[in-house]
Amino acid sequence: MGNKTLKLVGDITGPAALLAFGLALWHYQASENLFSFAAWGTLDILMGTCMYYACAKKESVLPIAYGIIAFFVTVMIYRNGKWQWTLVETVCLAGTIIGIIGWWRLGALFGVVAFGAAMSVASIPILVSNYHNPQTWEWWLWVGGGVSATIGLYLTRPLTLQNIGQWLFVAVSAVVTALMLAIQLWPRVWVQIKTPPPGGVFYFP
């Protein structure tokens, strides 16, 4: 598989998983926090735009695609969603303001780093929340995001400070998705280790 095909797979897999997640929320009329999807969508698009102007035009496709899908999900779940301002949204807002000011005063590369830092910090409360209340059914969402991030990291080698604008987004995504997947699946895996299912085959509903 050539790099162009591999990149296409990476650019499609993660956003497609997020779109499927949004459709699932809409189908089951789940009450999700609309602020969260809007905040992440804004960060993704700003990150992608900064990457575009920081000479990472090809790599900017993935975060912009995530941002567009996040806004689409916000619209889909608007009817049953809730507007709840949490620490995650506060960090996203602060990161957005710092990133925009830094982009304006110091250049697009600083904006990439600022938005990437905001994403990293904003992910911490989400990881903690899922640790205390894991949603095992969401595992496929994080697999899709992890595949996209892993492919992105592979294609942006070598990872140096000189090309940080190209790989920072996928690096943050890879770490967060790996941690989230471990948090989501570990309770189920641990239960099945202690009480093996018939035939010894793990099952993740």
Side-chain angles (χ1 to χ4, degrees), residues 3 8 13 26-27 53 74 92 125 138 145 147 161 170 186-187 196:
N3 285 353
L8 181 62
T13 306
W26 173 79
H27 176 74
Y53 286 105
T74 304
C92 287
E138 297 177 1
V147 169
L161 289 178
V170 287
W186 176 246

Side-chain angles (χ1 to χ4, degrees), residues 88 120 122-133 142 175-181 183:
V88 173
S120 301
S123 298
I124 295 174
I126 299 175
L127 290 166
V128 172
S129 175
N130 278 271
Y131 174 78
H132 292 293
N133 184 29
W142 306 109
V175 172
V176 172
T177 53
L179 290 173
M180 189 66 78
L181 187 61
I183 289 171

Side-chain angles (χ1 to χ4, degrees), residues 12-99:
I12 291 175
T13 306
L18 179 59
L19 177 60
F21 180 69
L23 290 172
L25 295 178
W26 173 79
H27 176 74
Y28 292 108
Q29 298 185 354
S31 180
E32 293 289 325
N33 187 1
L34 297 169
F35 271 134
S36 291
F37 284 99
W40 280 108
T42 301
L43 267 181
D44 284 336
I45 287 179
L46 287 172
M47 179 83 164
T49 304
C50 272
M51 289 170 64
Y52 181 87
Y53 286 105
C55 299
K57 292 181 173 60
K58 293 180 180 179
E59 292 78 12
S60 69
V61 172
L62 184 59
I64 291 175
Y66 271 124
I68 293 172
I69 298 297
F71 281 119
F72 183 64
V73 172
T74 304
V75 172
M76 284 194 297
I77 65 174
Y78 179 81
R79 180 178 178 182
N80 298 300
K82 56 188 177 183
W83 296 100
Q84 182 179 0
W85 193 268
T86 68
L87 178 60
V88 173
E89 288 71 46
T90 300
V91 173
C92 287
L93 177 61
T96 297
I97 294 173
I98 294 172

Side-chain angles (χ1 to χ4, degrees), residues 104-119:
W104 171 46
R105 298 298 297 271
L106 302 173
L109 185 58
F110 182 88
V112 171
V113 174
F115 292 132
M119 289 179 175

